[in-house]
Amino acid sequence: MHYSGIQQASTAPEAPLLGDHLAMDLINTQARSHGELQEFWRTGDDVLRWLARCGITPELDAGTVDLAALLEQAQALRALAQQLITRCKNGKDGKEGDIDGLNTYLQAYLSAPLLERGADGQLMLGRRARANALACLLGPVAEAVAQLLAEGDFDLVKQCEHPDCILWFVDRTKAHKRRWCSMALCGNRYKAAQFRKKNA
């Protein structure tokens, strides 16, 4: 059965999914608002909700997830991802970065091939996780980070240009001119501030 251990919906704000890559959305579970760091992961349930929003819903028995350990390991993975991605973005090859730490997450994420039928009835080859609950939940996220580090074009890995924003994204626009995490959020906010400054 799908894990359904979240007891109640949270009224806390949710992390934006604006990064156009799972590794970016991982880093973006911390943001800045009015100069203050905003933490979107305060509990293990917050992490579970974020994973579900990202489409990571492995089949786990209810009650098998240690929520305190999930929160701790998810935050550690985020810090590790931010360190490695920042080093690569700054033109460093990551040799001094802790890739062993990332490999710990990857090696715990065991899976096996599985032949199954798609919605159209056609056979397709997939994979099913066979690891413990935490590895099943965080393994796909660690794999996305590793994939970005190994194969990503870091000219397209950017941080929002708004001075009060720390969100990251992969620029998938045709001209690769994206400047903002979101035009509706930071782009318009910046333009409105510039307009006020100009007309003051």
Side-chain angles (χ1 to χ4, degrees), residues 2-68:
H2 285 285
Y3 178 74
S4 57
I6 301 172
Q7 299 301 315
Q8 57 187 3
S10 173
T11 56
E14 293 185 319
L17 299 179
L18 302 167
D20 284 321
H21 194 286
L22 184 56
M24 301 289 94
D25 289 330
L26 168 65
I27 293 174
N28 292 345
T29 57
Q30 281 186 325
R32 191 166 59 208
S33 178
H34 305 292
E36 298 286 324
L37 191 64
Q38 182 173 11
E39 173 62 74
F40 293 106
W41 286 348
R42 293 193 172 105
T43 68
D45 278 334
D46 292 339
V47 179
L48 281 177
R49 274 188 289 275
W50 178 84
L51 289 165
R53 289 174 63 219
C54 294
I56 300 170
T57 55
E59 292 186 6
L60 301 170
D61 291 331
T64 61
V65 179
D66 179 337
L67 293 175

Side-chain angles (χ1 to χ4, degrees), residues 100-115:
D100 288 340
L102 185 59
N103 280 331
T104 299
Y105 287 89
L106 296 172
Q107 290 164 1
Y109 182 46
L110 307 176
S111 64
L114 178 71
L115 188 63

